[in-house]
Amino acid sequence: MWISGPTTGVPLVFHHGTPGAKPAVRALERSSHERGLQLVTYSRPGYGDSTRHEGRRVVDAVGETAAILDHLGVDRCLVAGWSGGGPHALACAARLEQAQGALVIAGVAPYEVGGLDWLDGMGEDNVEEFGAALKGADELRAFLDEIAVQLRHAEVEDIFEQLSSLLPAVDRAALTGEYAEDLVAHIREALRTGVDGWVDDDLAFLAPWGFDLHEISKPLTLWQGSEDLMVPFAHGEWLGAHQPGARVHLEPGQGHLSIAIGSIDRMLDELIET
């Protein structure tokens, strides 16, 4: 677990992307602290030193988050999730009693739902990844093991090479300086001990999530960029259409990375306002 910021502040429990782990992006830390929030991140089971929970479902993030809040001795929080963390934030918005509001940034939509071609608009690397996942855990692990060899010791230029089909120009421009350093550290920690967490995330996205989106009654804000090649724009449109009470921001010209780093102040201001 990674905790930073004012100890008296309301915790913001942030659910990382896929693959990902507990090291926080410094821009997110600064923005949270400036607003009096205590930032809390953790590595989902199977990432870094976090013990694997084979067969976990998206909804299991609710119990994990509740355990963190018990450890902190608090009875309320805000939750947020980026990319693969988005479904886990939605689960908390639906089932976590202590959650006061939720933010989803470029979050994955459920698989096999009406009105959404789930893979359409994804870059080639993601199409191949989830194509392997649809063939089963063994096929997926073999695919991810090969990628992880390069990413486990990646530098920024390696990220550009390995994720070339997933990075539109706007995301390439955003992946510089401190943000690039933080993303590299994030991925290295995620894959340091293997690909279990990545495998289990992907399988969980494609399986039933364990809760219904109609259960969400907490204030919810959704952000999605039109140029996103990791989680396509259609995912944000679908989620927004199926959460009529949410504040939905479908941002033209933004990508998967650029929206997360460029709009974080606006996102947290709105989350706190809710």
Side-chain angles (χ1 to χ4, degrees):
M1 191 163 49
W2 181 295
I3 305 173
S4 65
T7 57
T8 58
V10 173
L12 170 62
V13 181
F14 190 86
H15 296 271
H16 61 70
T18 301
K22 65 182 180 181
V25 171
R26 283 170 282 181
L28 172 62
E29 278 194 312
R30 287 193 297 271
S31 188
S32 301
H33 300 170
E34 288 167 3
R35 286 156 180 79
L37 299 174
Q38 183 182 48
L39 181 63
V40 180
T41 64
Y42 74 103
S43 299
R44 279 195 294 280
Y47 286 117
D49 290 324
S50 185
T51 303
R52 186 184 187 190
H53 176 185
E54 188 172 0
R56 62 177 164 86
R57 301 179 299 165
V58 170
V59 74
D60 292 332
V62 177
E64 296 160 8
T65 306
I68 289 171
L69 298 177
D70 286 345
H71 174 75
L72 295 175
V74 297
D75 60 4
R76 63 182 181 133
C77 71
L78 298 170
V79 295
W82 172 60
S83 188
H88 300 89
L90 289 171
C92 291
R95 296 276 182 93
L96 183 66
E97 182 180 349
Q98 298 96 320
Q100 304 294 296
L103 163 65
V104 173
I105 310 164
V108 182
Y111 185 67
E112 287 191 321
V113 290
L116 178 65
D117 184 341
W118 204 81
L119 291 173
D120 186 44
M122 286 189 185
E124 181 182 352
D125 292 289
N126 268 17
V127 172
E128 291 180 359
E129 177 181 333
F130 286 108
L134 289 167
K135 294 177 182 178
D138 291 342
E139 188 87 12
L140 177 60
R141 180 176 295 278
F143 180 86
L144 296 181
D145 272 336
E146 185 174 345
I147 298 173
V149 170
Q150 285 79 35
L151 291 181
R152 195 170 286 121
H153 305 289
E155 300 294 345
V156 175
E157 57 270 19
D158 301 316
I159 299 293
F160 280 120
E161 181 179 350
Q162 289 297 315
L163 305 181
S164 59
S165 76
L166 303 174
L167 295 175
V170 66
D171 280 343
R172 288 176 177 270
L175 194 57
T176 60
E178 178 188 275
Y179 187 39
E181 294 172 0
D182 290 349
L183 185 63
V184 166
H186 202 65
I187 291 174
R188 284 180 174 178
E189 173 61 18
L191 303 178
R192 178 170 53 81
T193 57
V195 297
D196 285 346
W198 199 353
V199 168
D200 294 339
D201 263 3
D202 282 1
L203 295 178
F205 297 146
L206 298 176
W209 286 2
F211 69 99
D212 195 304
L213 292 177
H214 292 106
E215 296 178 52
I216 296 175
S217 60
K218 307 294 176 66
L220 176 65
T221 179
L222 302 168
W223 293 70
Q224 179 72 44
S226 66
E227 306 307 300
D228 197 328
L229 297 176
M230 296 190 190
V231 178
F233 193 55
H235 285 235
E237 292 180 307
W238 189 93
L239 285 170
H242 290 80
Q243 289 297 309
R247 297 187 183 189
V248 181
H249 299 265
L250 302 175
E251 300 286 292
Q254 292 295 331
H256 197 73
L257 305 178
S258 67
I259 196 171
I261 193 66
S263 302
I264 191 62
D265 289 344
R266 292 168 57 202
M267 293 173 181
L268 293 187
D269 284 341
E270 183 175 70
L271 177 61
I272 292 169
E273 181 186 332
T274 64

